[in-house]
Amino acid sequence: MGLLALFLYILTISTAASGGGGGDEAALLAFKAGFSRRSSSSRLVSWNSSTNFCNWEGVTCSRRRQPTRVVELDLPSSNLTGTLSPAIGNLTFLRRLNLSSNGLYGEIPNSIGRLNRLQRLSLSYNSLSGECPANLTSCISLKILDLDYNQLGGHIPVELGNKLTQLQMLLLTNNSITGPIPYSLGNLSSLRNLYLDYNHLEGLIPASLGKFPSLQELSLEANMLTGEFPHSIWNLSTLRVMGVGLNMLQGSIVANIGEKFPLMRFFGLHENRFNGVIPSSLSNLSRLTDLYLATNNFTGSVPPTMGRLQFLNCKNMLDKNLLGGQLPRSIVNLSTTMQLLDMEGNSFSGTIPDAIGNLIGLSLLDLGFNPISGEIPESIGKLTNLVDLALYNTGLSGLMPPTIGNLTKLNRLLAFHTNLEGPIPASFGKLKILFNLDLSVNHLNGSIPKENLELPSLAWILDLSYNSLSGRLPPEVGTLVNLNKLALSGNQLSGQIPNSIGNCEVLEFLMLDKNSFEGGIPQSLTNLKGLNVLNPTMNKCLALVTLAICNTCV
Ligand SMILES: *[C@@H]1O[C@H](CO)[C@@H](O)[C@H](O)[C@H]1NC(C)=O
Ligand SMILES: *[C@@H]1O[C@H](CO)[C@@H](O)[C@H](O)[C@H]1NC(C)=O
Ligand SMILES: *[C@@H]1O[C@H](CO)[C@@H](O)[C@H](O)[C@H]1NC(C)=O
Ligand SMILES: *[C@@H]1O[C@H](CO)[C@@H](O)[C@H](O)[C@H]1NC(C)=O
Ligand SMILES: *[C@@H]1O[C@H](CO)[C@@H](O)[C@H](O)[C@H]1NC(C)=O
Ligand SMILES: *[C@@H]1O[C@H](CO)[C@@H](O)[C@H](O)[C@H]1NC(C)=O
Ligand SMILES: *[C@@H]1O[C@H](CO)[C@@H](O)[C@H](O)[C@H]1NC(C)=O
Ligand SMILES: *[C@@H]1O[C@H](CO)[C@@H](O)[C@H](O)[C@H]1NC(C)=O
Ligand SMILES: *[C@@H]1O[C@H](CO)[C@@H](O)[C@H](O)[C@H]1NC(C)=O
Ligand SMILES: *[C@@H]1O[C@H](CO)[C@@H](O)[C@H](O)[C@H]1NC(C)=O
Ligand SMILES: *[C@@H]1O[C@H](CO)[C@@H](O)[C@H](O)[C@H]1NC(C)=O
Ligand SMILES: *[C@@H]1O[C@H](CO)[C@@H](O)[C@H](O)[C@H]1NC(C)=O
């Protein structure tokens, strides 16, 4: 009897609760109705009248409140495809709404502004469009606003900076937001993460952004920001991430950067118009893992102490600047986990340090377009993770070390336009996944080792033109069955062109001119259906009868 009474009592309470929260239930059902029935979300199966809505998957209610109200709606990665119902604005007790990584499209309803208790909103990784709703600025409790990876347009609402005073994270990466960065954003004194990158923002960076007392991550990358980089930003000493690359910003790096940013991990200024020197104090940023300074107008030399950046484990990009001076010897002390070292297109001189082989983590080493000189150190053969080795347009001279043949992960070996001499090491035949081998315009001599032609994966370019190579073209050339371009122009190759060349079935470019080949063009060339450019001119007795097989003959 007593039990039954208790049971009835509980039943009454829960009915009252679900009845009283009927507004929220109706809103949830309207929210569900916004999604196409065919969207295969297994999560919404439980959303039916057989259970109280507080038990529906992804729904959390407040137990303290009568009637019960929804306080969290958490359905990330749930295959929800459709529009966001304006009924969402009826869930006025929501503190957290996470619909990240679904298939939401259409606009964010203005009714969202009714959610004045909302603290965390994530609608990232959807296809929401329309303007970033001004009504969002009524969600005055927001701490996290994450709209990354949508197609939202319009301006950043100016009131956002004055009203969302609790905001800690503002994440708008990869949308289509236009207009200026509002000056008022500087009022967001709790802000820790500001990501406005990959949008169409324009104008100046407001100096007010230097006011954040505890900003840790600032990314304004890939917009159309112009003008002078505000000096105040160099005062944000709590920053771990500063990314302003891919804009049109001017300015120079503050001289005492190394002392100002003890926590800095990511520093990216690439593809802007920064100038001045790279301060030597930069090498005191002892936690730096990513450094992008490429494609600016930096001048002077690289700090000789650069090698102290022990944690630079990922990327070190200094390419396409106006840097000069000696290639710093200390680079050999950089981290062994560093993957990319790109110093292309500067004016570095001096030699490659012998101990370059210490940097065993490197997958890319690009020293191209620099007046460096001396020989390629043998230790380069220790960089067995290298995929790209670029030494072109330099003053490097001497023999190519056979140890390069140990770099068995190499895809690209580019050493054209240097002063290399001597034979091509036969060990290059070990580079089984080489894709592009360009040693053109050097002083290489001797014959072409047949091993170098037994590289069936060589799928793009073999360019040995303008050297002093002699002897016959080995018949092994026929094993290059995936090659797109073969250039041997300007050597002293002689004898007959091997018939096996007809096996190189996907050749589009074949340059054999300025050699001493004799005999005819092999009949097998008619196999090369895709041949576009054939240049057999200036050889001894080449019959030109077969020229009709290609479209453009030089
Ligand atoms: C949402 O609230 C409004 C105003 O209170 C009401 O008119 C509307 O019917 C509600 N919508 C749903 C789906 O409950
Ligand atoms: C989403 O759809 C995929 C593919 O149809 C399915 O494998 C996955 O289980 C679904 N996830 C949910 C939460 O419904
Ligand atoms: C209703 O939800 C329950 C889980 O709460 C589930 O077991 C049941 O299959 C659902 N019914 C329908 C008709 O989808
Ligand atoms: C926008 O937000 C305000 C403030 O919460 C609210 O009164 C208004 O109804 C919202 N607009 C719409 C269209 O829901
Ligand atoms: C939303 O959910 C995703 C996936 O679980 C999570 O990574 C993200 O941090 C959540 N966002 C918020 C604001 O809680
Ligand atoms: C931005 O998002 C689009 C898809 O919405 C994607 O194709 C593109 O790669 C993204 N850009 C970046 C830089 O992540
Ligand atoms: C926000 O910033 C603007 C411009 O910097 C200023 O005029 C305004 O008083 C600030 N508002 C608050 C609430 O701090
Ligand atoms: C940077 O901070 C220093 C010391 O707090 C202050 O004197 C200087 O005015 C600030 N510079 C800018 C541009 O805000
Ligand atoms: C670098 O300076 C040169 C000469 O002053 C100028 O022509 C060029 O546009 C500048 N490059 C960048 C990226 O600002
Ligand atoms: C780097 O830090 C060391 C030790 O804190 C200091 O002695 C040195 O002057 C700093 N270097 C530069 C270039 O600021
Ligand atoms: C590399 O680091 C070692 C140990 O700290 C030091 O003795 C050496 O001088 C450094 N080499 C260069 C070239 O800076
Ligand atoms: C590297 O290459 C050289 C010359 O080809 C060879 O003598 C040596 O054994 C190789 N080292 C390793 C570790 O494979």
Side-chain angles (χ1 to χ4, degrees):
M1 203 50 185
L3 259 184
L4 183 60
L6 182 64
F7 176 73
L8 284 176
Y9 174 72
I10 291 174
L11 194 69
T12 322
I13 294 256
S14 69
T15 316
S18 70
D24 276 5
E25 178 168 16
L28 288 172
L29 288 173
F31 166 79
K32 180 183 177 184
F35 307 120
S36 83
R37 300 211 171 273
R38 283 189 298 152
S39 77
S40 56
S41 186
S42 57
R43 297 245 156 84
L44 296 189
V45 170
S46 64
W47 287 40
N48 63 52
S49 51
S50 77
T51 38
N52 184 289
F53 67 88
C54 292
N55 296 327
W56 293 354
E57 205 176 331
V59 177
T60 307
C61 290
S62 159
R63 297 288 167 194
R64 283 182 293 134
R65 215 166 269 285
Q66 294 302 333
T68 325
R69 299 297 308 264
V70 175
V71 291
E72 284 184 19
L73 187 51
D74 211 8
L75 291 166
S77 308
S78 303
N79 293 344
L80 303 175
T81 309
T83 55
L84 188 53
S85 165
I88 198 77
N90 289 18
L91 300 171
T92 49
F93 277 74
L94 267 188
R95 288 199 298 259
R96 175 161 150 175
L97 175 59
N98 194 339
L99 303 174
S100 171
S101 304
N102 280 294
L104 302 180
Y105 53 82
E107 303 196 358
I108 300 177
N110 257 322
S111 62
I112 200 122
R114 297 176 59 199
L115 304 179
N116 59 13
R117 293 179 176 85
L118 194 63
Q119 296 181 4
R120 296 160 162 249
L121 171 61
S122 180
L123 300 174
S124 58
Y125 296 92
N126 281 291
S127 302
L128 294 164
S129 55
E131 304 225 331
C132 182
N135 238 20
L136 263 177
T137 60
S138 302
C139 303
I140 50 169
S141 305
L142 273 180
K143 294 192 163 112
I144 300 179
L145 174 54
D146 178 5
L147 303 175
D148 281 355
Y149 288 84
N150 278 289
Q151 282 125 44
L152 297 168
H155 291 193
I156 300 175
V158 173
E159 315 82 65
L160 199 144
N162 301 327
K163 289 199 184 161
L164 302 187
T165 51
Q166 319 270 315
L167 211 55
Q168 295 170 1
M169 293 191 194
L170 176 56
L171 312 175
L172 296 173
T173 297
N174 200 343
N175 279 283
S176 300
I177 297 173
T178 56
I181 300 177
Y183 196 85
S184 64
L185 284 196
N187 291 355
L188 300 173
S189 58
S190 303
L191 209 61
R192 285 189 278 114
N193 303 59
L194 177 59
Y195 279 84
L196 304 177
D197 50 317
Y198 290 90
N199 279 293
H200 309 301
L201 296 168
E202 55 194 24
L204 306 175
I205 298 178
S208 62
L209 295 198
K211 289 201 300 179
F212 301 118
S214 46
L215 196 69
Q216 295 177 355
E217 305 189 0
L218 171 66
S219 182
L220 307 176
E221 222 169 272
N223 280 291
M224 298 180 299
L225 301 168
T226 49
E228 193 73 16
F229 185 69
H231 234 269
S232 60
I233 305 269
W234 299 117
N235 269 0
L236 295 172
S237 59
T238 48
L239 277 186
R240 293 162 193 219
V241 170
M242 184 196 287
V244 299
L246 297 157
N247 281 293
M248 290 164 281
L249 300 167
Q250 294 163 26
S252 51
I253 303 178
V254 71
N256 55 352
I257 182 168
E259 283 64 50
K260 286 219 149 180
F261 300 94
L263 305 172
M264 188 86 91
R265 286 189 281 107
F266 179 107
F267 184 52
L269 305 183
H270 56 292
E271 299 198 39
N272 275 293
R273 290 166 190 172
F274 283 96
N275 56 28
V277 300
I278 299 178
S280 57
S281 112
L282 184 88
S283 43
N284 275 0
L285 293 175
S286 58
R287 299 186 186 201
L288 206 59
T289 59
D290 292 77
L291 175 62
Y292 295 86
L293 300 178
T295 320
N296 277 293
N297 268 344
F298 289 117
T299 49
S301 57
V302 172
T305 47
M306 199 71 177
R308 273 204 255 147
L309 296 172
Q310 287 296 323
F311 292 100
L312 212 54
N313 62 15
C314 190
K315 292 170 180 169
N316 181 9
M317 312 294 248
L318 299 170
D319 52 305
K320 301 183 194 70
N321 274 294
L322 307 174
L323 297 167
Q326 293 278 321
L327 197 64
R329 320 303 298 161
S330 71
I331 58 172
V332 303
N333 275 351
L334 289 166
S335 163
T336 53
T337 56
M338 188 172 69
Q339 292 164 13
L340 308 180
L341 181 58
D342 191 345
M343 307 184 93
E344 191 213 272
N346 284 290
S347 300
F348 291 117
S349 56
T351 60
I352 304 179
D354 279 338
I356 191 83
N358 290 359
L359 300 174
I360 54 173
L362 285 185
S363 66
L364 177 144
L365 175 60
D366 189 345
L367 301 173
F369 281 107
N370 279 293
I372 51 172
S373 55
E375 300 195 355
I376 304 173
E378 229 171 75
S379 81
I380 210 159
K382 292 192 197 153
L383 304 178
T384 51
N385 288 308
L386 271 188
V387 175
D388 284 283
L389 176 57
L391 304 170
Y392 51 87
N393 283 86
T394 59
L396 290 169
S397 58
L399 304 178
M400 268 189 291
T403 54
I404 289 180
N406 294 349
L407 305 177
T408 51
K409 292 186 187 164
L410 267 191
N411 281 169
R412 272 167 288 263
L413 172 49
L414 308 179
F416 52 89
H417 241 287
T418 64
N419 290 320
L420 297 169
E421 57 192 45
I424 302 174
S427 65
F428 284 16
K430 292 194 285 175
L431 304 175
K432 292 297 182 205
I433 57 168
L434 202 60
F435 194 72
N436 181 350
L437 175 59
D438 192 340
L439 305 176
S440 59
V441 199
N442 277 293
H443 311 297
L444 301 171
N445 58 25
S447 56
I448 300 178
K450 68 178 171 53
E451 292 83 355
N452 287 345
L453 299 175
E454 293 171 326
L455 297 170
S457 76
L458 198 56
W460 194 19
I461 295 175
L462 174 59
D463 194 340
L464 304 175
S465 57
Y466 300 97
N467 277 290
S468 304
L469 300 167
S470 56
R472 290 167 181 270
L473 179 60
E476 283 77 5
V477 71
T479 61
L480 298 170
V481 293
N482 291 310
L483 196 67
N484 182 259
K485 173 177 172 181
L486 176 62
L488 301 171
S489 317
N491 281 290
Q492 287 129 41
L493 298 168
S494 58
Q496 296 206 327
I497 298 172
N499 200 44
S500 62
I501 204 163
N503 296 340
C504 308
E505 286 189 2
V506 294
L507 264 190
E508 268 187 72
F509 304 91
L510 178 58
M511 279 83 157
L512 302 172
D513 56 303
K514 304 188 198 74
N515 275 293
S516 306
F517 289 121
E518 49 197 68
I521 290 183
Q523 199 56 41
S524 65
L525 274 189
T526 52
N527 294 348
L528 309 184
K529 303 290 184 235
L531 202 60
N532 247 323
V533 178
L534 169 68
N535 189 351
T537 58
M538 294 180 69
N539 279 294
K540 272 187 181 161
C541 322
L542 278 184
L544 296 178
V545 284
T546 47
L547 281 188
I549 62 173
C550 62
N551 304 328
T552 328
C553 293
V554 186

